[in-house]
Amino acid sequence: MTAFALAMPVNLEDQFAFDAGHHGHEIVLRAVSAPELASRVAGAQADIALVAAEARYLTDRLIASCDQAGVRLVAIASSEREQRYASDLGLYDIVEAAEGWAGLDALLSRSQWSSETPAPERSALGQVVAVWGPGGAPGRTSIAISVAAELAALGYSVALADVDTHGASVAPALGMLDEAPGFAAACRLAGTETLTTEELGRIGQRYESPLGGFWVLTGIGRPSRWPELSSERVGATIAQCRQWVDYTVLDTSSSLENDEEITSDLFAPRRNAAAVTAVRAADHVIAVGSADPVGLSRFLRAHVDLLETVTTRSVSVVMNKIRVSASGMNPHGQITQTLSRFGGIEHPILVPHDLSGFDGAVLSGKTLVDAAPRSPARAAIRDLVTSRLVPDEIEPAAQRSMFRRMLARG
């Protein structure tokens, strides 16, 4: 007998509850939403959770909660759109609603599932977020660090990887040593097919914070070491990071040039392979530009190259360092109109210029979350994270804190 938990519309719930009883199984929990199921699944002693593949009943937070509780999660999809939604969350166990219990039974039989068989460690792969921006110091690293910190503060397990082969700067920004760059070490292990999640935990450094710490894979201290970050190695490392944490944030370099056939220097494009691979592997790309006339011009030209490189449709534009002195009166309106008119970019995230906040963070080796929690820049970045990366994040703070403690113990 297998114990099931359900979270789906009434019509599907009645159908699967009847079939479960008919086949000698037990329904131990019925929930009306993903947050309710996530909060109760650990104590329900369920073996399998059946959920409808829509935002009300299936979220990445529910996937994480089921992973922590050792409960296998299966999505029931009533349309192609719902199948894509579940797949985008990294869920592989998907059954078409039209197939009913027969489809579920076939899925479980293929994987030789039984109530005595333990669930896999992770039923879903972690998400990858690449932070990119053109040359001219638009603030890629500052945004990447802040995004990682905000995700960690929400209770997710997070790794921040410095993939910049031109000017890695995550380590000094966080006051960390980078004599033994973690990301390069991971790439070397990946090259010999010996990289594991345990190895990532060994070579990664930990940024600790009362609000939520995260892992850091530091970048190469000398740009001459860029050959260590080949496309194959970077891709394999990113794939392993998906198995390691909920979110991997990649701080990339600016150049995305990748045309080896027309260049006289065959080695130059390969130096950009790390950035190109990171952007292509990302589930979500954050494109950072500087909110001044020169920065806008650079961003709009480079943004075209970005769109030709990415494989995801989830690209969020962040205009950093918004200020009246560089953009004139009503800088928010000026920047928004310029992006819409010349780049077809709508709904950008606008980050106010907070020089003292970011300077204080770098000086103390802390994130903006810890150094200046009331910074207006921090508020904008938090909005970016909650609205674009984790739109279903609606759990109360107490539950998030409990989840962080569970991760720490694990």
Side-chain angles (χ1 to χ4, degrees):
M1 182 183 70
T2 301
F4 286 89
L6 305 179
M8 52 185 62
V10 175
N11 59 326
L12 282 178
E13 180 181 294
D14 290 342
Q15 173 190 337
F16 279 93
F18 174 83
D19 290 337
H22 179 72
H23 288 83
H25 303 299
E26 180 183 10
I27 304 299
V28 296
L29 172 63
R30 300 190 188 205
V32 299
S33 66
E36 181 187 358
L37 181 58
S39 65
R40 298 176 60 191
V41 70
Q45 297 184 338
D47 300 309
I48 300 175
L50 298 181
V51 302
E54 53 185 275
R56 176 184 173 88
Y57 303 101
L58 174 62
T59 65
D60 50 4
R61 296 292 290 145
L62 174 59
I63 293 173
S65 296
C66 287
D67 285 346
Q68 290 294 315
V71 176
R72 188 176 186 181
L73 186 62
V74 178
I76 308 299
S78 300
S79 64
E80 291 186 5
R81 179 185 62 81
E82 292 185 0
Q83 288 185 349
R84 288 195 301 270
Y85 174 75
S87 297
D88 289 342
L89 289 177
L91 197 63
Y92 292 100
D93 290 343
I94 305 173
V95 175
E96 293 185 15
E99 295 179 355
W101 191 266
L104 175 63
D105 189 59
L107 172 68
L108 301 181
S109 298
R110 284 196 301 270
S111 59
Q112 297 180 338
W113 177 267
S114 72
S115 59
E116 291 77 27
T117 302
E121 291 185 3
R122 291 183 68 91
S123 61
L125 297 177
Q127 296 288 296
V128 174
V129 180
V131 181
W132 169 91
R140 292 185 303 271
T141 298
S142 297
I143 296 297
I145 292 174
S146 296
V147 167
E150 294 293 347
L151 286 167
L154 289 173
Y156 294 101
S157 58
V158 180
L160 171 62
D162 195 334
V163 194
D164 193 336
T165 55
H166 292 265
S169 54
V170 168
L174 292 176
M176 295 180 171
L177 299 177
D178 58 356
E179 286 86 352
F183 191 76
C187 286
R188 289 195 301 273
L189 290 172
T192 60
E193 298 183 352
T194 57
L195 181 63
T196 63
T197 55
E198 290 77 12
E199 287 293 319
L200 285 169
R202 181 181 63 83
I203 63 182
Q205 297 188 49
R206 188 76 182 167
Y207 174 85
E208 297 296 349
S209 166
L211 297 178
F214 53 89
W215 293 98
V216 179
L217 295 175
T218 56
I220 52 177
R222 299 190 306 275
S224 60
R225 295 184 60 177
W226 64 263
E228 298 178 28
L229 275 61
S230 67
S231 177
E232 294 76 13
R233 289 180 173 185
V234 171
T237 301
I238 294 173
Q240 193 62 46
C241 285
R242 289 182 181 274
Q243 304 281 352
W244 184 31
V245 291
D246 297 327
Y247 282 90
T248 301
V249 180
L250 308 174
D251 181 20
T252 74
S253 53
S254 60
S255 180
L256 298 175
E257 181 205 5
N258 195 38
D259 195 343
E260 299 184 5
E261 297 179 358
I262 64 173
T263 181
S264 58
D265 184 353
L266 295 179
F267 290 96
R270 297 173 186 170
R271 180 173 182 176
N272 303 322
V276 172
T277 302
V279 166
R280 287 178 175 171
D283 303 295
H284 196 110
V285 176
I286 297 175
V288 182
S290 182
D292 57 73
V294 175
L296 274 169
S297 179
R298 286 173 172 166
F299 179 84
L300 288 170
R301 289 196 298 265
H303 185 250
V304 177
D305 297 331
L306 174 68
L307 295 182
E308 293 177 352
T309 305
V310 298
T311 59
T312 179
R313 294 183 179 180
S314 299
V315 178
S316 294
V317 171
V318 173
M319 296 313 297
N320 197 21
K321 308 175 186 177
I322 299 286
R323 58 201 187 277
V324 173
S325 59
S327 304
M329 299 300 295
N330 187 21
H332 292 72
Q334 296 275 12
I335 298 298
T336 300
Q337 291 177 17
T338 300
L339 291 174
S340 177
R341 179 179 179 184
F342 296 103
I345 299 169
E346 306 293 341
H347 310 297
I349 297 291
L350 306 180
V351 179
H353 188 44
D354 184 7
L355 181 61
S356 60
F358 280 109
D359 280 354
V362 173
L363 182 62
S364 60
K366 296 181 179 180
T367 66
L368 192 65
V369 173
D370 290 330
R374 297 186 179 181
S375 165
R378 188 253 166 135
I381 297 170
R382 182 177 56 206
D383 178 60
L384 161 69
V385 170
T386 57
S387 65
R388 306 293 176 87
L389 302 184
V390 286
D392 297 313
E393 171 59 46
I394 55 177
E395 291 184 296
Q399 292 183 19
R400 293 199 298 267
S401 298
M402 179 181 67
F403 183 69
R404 285 200 294 270
R405 291 194 296 272
M406 292 171 63
L407 288 175
R409 289 197 300 270

